[in-house]
PDB file of all heavy atoms in Angstrom:
ATOM      1  N   PRO A 108      10.239  24.952  27.606  1.00 98.00           N
ATOM      2  CA  PRO A 108       9.753  26.306  27.918  1.00 98.00           C
ATOM      3  C   PRO A 108      10.615  27.382  27.362  1.00 98.00           C
ATOM      4  O   PRO A 108      10.204  28.449  26.938  1.00 98.00           O
ATOM      5  CB  PRO A 108       9.743  26.260  29.483  1.00 98.00           C
ATOM      6  CG  PRO A 108       9.647  24.770  29.843  1.00 98.00           C
ATOM      7  CD  PRO A 108      10.274  24.023  28.748  1.00 98.00           C
ATOM      8  N   THR A 109      11.963  27.122  27.402  1.00 98.00           N
ATOM      9  CA  THR A 109      12.877  28.199  26.966  1.00 98.00           C
ATOM     10  C   THR A 109      12.766  28.321  25.442  1.00 98.00           C
ATOM     11  O   THR A 109      13.161  29.393  24.966  1.00 98.00           O
ATOM     12  CB  THR A 109      14.354  27.791  27.417  1.00 98.00           C
ATOM     13  OG1 THR A 109      14.613  26.352  27.245  1.00 98.00           O
ATOM     14  CG2 THR A 109      14.497  28.275  28.821  1.00 98.00           C
ATOM     15  N   HIS A 110      12.312  27.334  24.731  1.00 98.00           N
ATOM     16  CA  HIS A 110      12.196  27.515  23.252  1.00 98.00           C
ATOM     17  C   HIS A 110      11.047  28.619  23.044  1.00 98.00           C
ATOM     18  O   HIS A 110      11.086  29.443  22.156  1.00 98.00           O
ATOM     19  CB  HIS A 110      11.693  26.241  22.528  1.00 98.00           C
ATOM     20  CG  HIS A 110      12.886  25.262  22.336  1.00 98.00           C
ATOM     21  ND1 HIS A 110      12.893  23.930  22.709  1.00 98.00           N
ATOM     22  CD2 HIS A 110      14.061  25.477  21.795  1.00 98.00           C
ATOM     23  CE1 HIS A 110      13.945  23.333  22.310  1.00 98.00           C
ATOM     24  NE2 HIS A 110      14.797  24.314  21.837  1.00 98.00           N
ATOM     25  N   ARG A 111       9.981  28.515  23.875  1.00 98.00           N
ATOM     26  CA  ARG A 111       8.840  29.371  23.806  1.00 98.00           C
ATOM     27  C   ARG A 111       9.303  30.772  24.140  1.00 98.00           C
ATOM     28  O   ARG A 111       8.929  31.769  23.465  1.00 98.00           O
ATOM     29  CB  ARG A 111       7.732  28.956  24.703  1.00 98.00           C
ATOM     30  CG  ARG A 111       7.015  27.724  24.257  1.00 98.00           C
ATOM     31  CD  ARG A 111       5.843  27.387  25.183  1.00 98.00           C
ATOM     32  NE  ARG A 111       4.764  28.421  24.856  1.00 98.00           N
ATOM     33  CZ  ARG A 111       3.415  28.185  25.115  1.00 98.00           C
ATOM     34  NH1 ARG A 111       3.075  27.016  25.641  1.00 98.00           N
ATOM     35  NH2 ARG A 111       2.618  29.089  24.823  1.00 98.00           N
ATOM     36  N   ILE A 112      10.159  30.928  25.184  1.00 98.00           N
ATOM     37  CA  ILE A 112      10.601  32.164  25.629  1.00 98.00           C
ATOM     38  C   ILE A 112      11.507  32.812  24.538  1.00 98.00           C
ATOM     39  O   ILE A 112      11.385  34.108  24.229  1.00 98.00           O
ATOM     40  CB  ILE A 112      11.394  32.032  27.012  1.00 98.00           C
ATOM     41  CG1 ILE A 112      10.444  31.580  28.100  1.00 98.00           C
ATOM     42  CG2 ILE A 112      12.121  33.378  27.409  1.00 98.00           C
ATOM     43  CD1 ILE A 112      11.107  31.181  29.370  1.00 98.00           C
ATOM     44  N   LEU A 113      12.375  31.967  23.912  1.00 98.00           N
ATOM     45  CA  LEU A 113      13.101  32.467  22.861  1.00 98.00           C
ATOM     46  C   LEU A 113      12.467  32.949  21.619  1.00 98.00           C
ATOM     47  O   LEU A 113      12.741  33.993  21.015  1.00 98.00           O
ATOM     48  CB  LEU A 113      14.180  31.371  22.382  1.00 98.00           C
ATOM     49  CG  LEU A 113      15.469  31.138  23.184  1.00 98.00           C
ATOM     50  CD1 LEU A 113      16.082  29.822  22.997  1.00 98.00           C
ATOM     51  CD2 LEU A 113      16.406  32.326  23.096  1.00 98.00           C
ATOM     52  N   ASP A 114      11.326  32.200  21.277  1.00 98.00           N
ATOM     53  CA  ASP A 114      10.433  32.564  20.245  1.00 98.00           C
ATOM     54  C   ASP A 114       9.902  34.001  20.514  1.00 98.00           C
ATOM     55  O   ASP A 114       9.980  34.923  19.672  1.00 98.00           O
ATOM     56  CB  ASP A 114       9.318  31.554  20.153  1.00 98.00           C
ATOM     57  CG  ASP A 114       8.559  31.561  18.804  1.00 98.00           C
ATOM     58  OD1 ASP A 114       8.995  32.317  17.944  1.00 98.00           O
ATOM     59  OD2 ASP A 114       7.626  30.766  18.684  1.00 98.00           O
ATOM     60  N   ALA A 115       9.363  34.229  21.734  1.00 97.00           N
ATOM     61  CA  ALA A 115       8.716  35.490  22.020  1.00 97.00           C
ATOM     62  C   ALA A 115       9.842  36.661  22.080  1.00 97.00           C
ATOM     63  O   ALA A 115       9.587  37.785  21.560  1.00 97.00           O
ATOM     64  CB  ALA A 115       8.121  35.342  23.442  1.00 97.00           C
ATOM     65  N   ALA A 116      10.995  36.335  22.683  1.00 97.00           N
ATOM     66  CA  ALA A 116      12.094  37.339  22.713  1.00 97.00           C
ATOM     67  C   ALA A 116      12.519  37.775  21.300  1.00 97.00           C
ATOM     68  O   ALA A 116      12.707  38.906  20.947  1.00 97.00           O
ATOM     69  CB  ALA A 116      13.306  36.793  23.484  1.00 97.00           C
ATOM     70  N   SER A 117      12.672  36.748  20.420  1.00 96.00           N
ATOM     71  CA  SER A 117      13.148  36.973  19.039  1.00 96.00           C
ATOM     72  C   SER A 117      12.064  37.810  18.331  1.00 96.00           C
ATOM     73  O   SER A 117      12.420  38.776  17.550  1.00 96.00           O
ATOM     74  CB  SER A 117      13.392  35.581  18.449  1.00 96.00           C
ATOM     75  OG  SER A 117      13.319  35.773  16.990  1.00 96.00           O
ATOM     76  N   GLU A 118      10.821  37.564  18.471  1.00 95.00           N
ATOM     77  CA  GLU A 118       9.757  38.172  17.767  1.00 95.00           C
ATOM     78  C   GLU A 118       9.736  39.737  18.285  1.00 95.00           C
ATOM     79  O   GLU A 118       9.578  40.649  17.563  1.00 95.00           O
ATOM     80  CB  GLU A 118       8.370  37.584  17.975  1.00 95.00           C
ATOM     81  CG  GLU A 118       8.154  36.311  17.138  1.00 95.00           C
ATOM     82  CD  GLU A 118       7.836  36.677  15.743  1.00 95.00           C
ATOM     83  OE1 GLU A 118       8.783  36.971  14.938  1.00 95.00           O
ATOM     84  OE2 GLU A 118       6.622  36.627  15.355  1.00 95.00           O
ATOM     85  N   ALA A 119       9.837  39.798  19.643  1.00 95.00           N
ATOM     86  CA  ALA A 119       9.874  41.203  20.244  1.00 95.00           C
ATOM     87  C   ALA A 119      10.977  42.113  19.679  1.00 95.00           C
ATOM     88  O   ALA A 119      10.793  43.151  19.332  1.00 95.00           O
ATOM     89  CB  ALA A 119       9.850  41.151  21.793  1.00 95.00           C
TER      90      ALA A 119
END
Side-chain angles (χ1 to χ4, degrees):
T109 39
H110 285 133
R111 292 187 70 158
I112 295 170
L113 279 165
D114 199 0
S117 156
E118 284 284 79

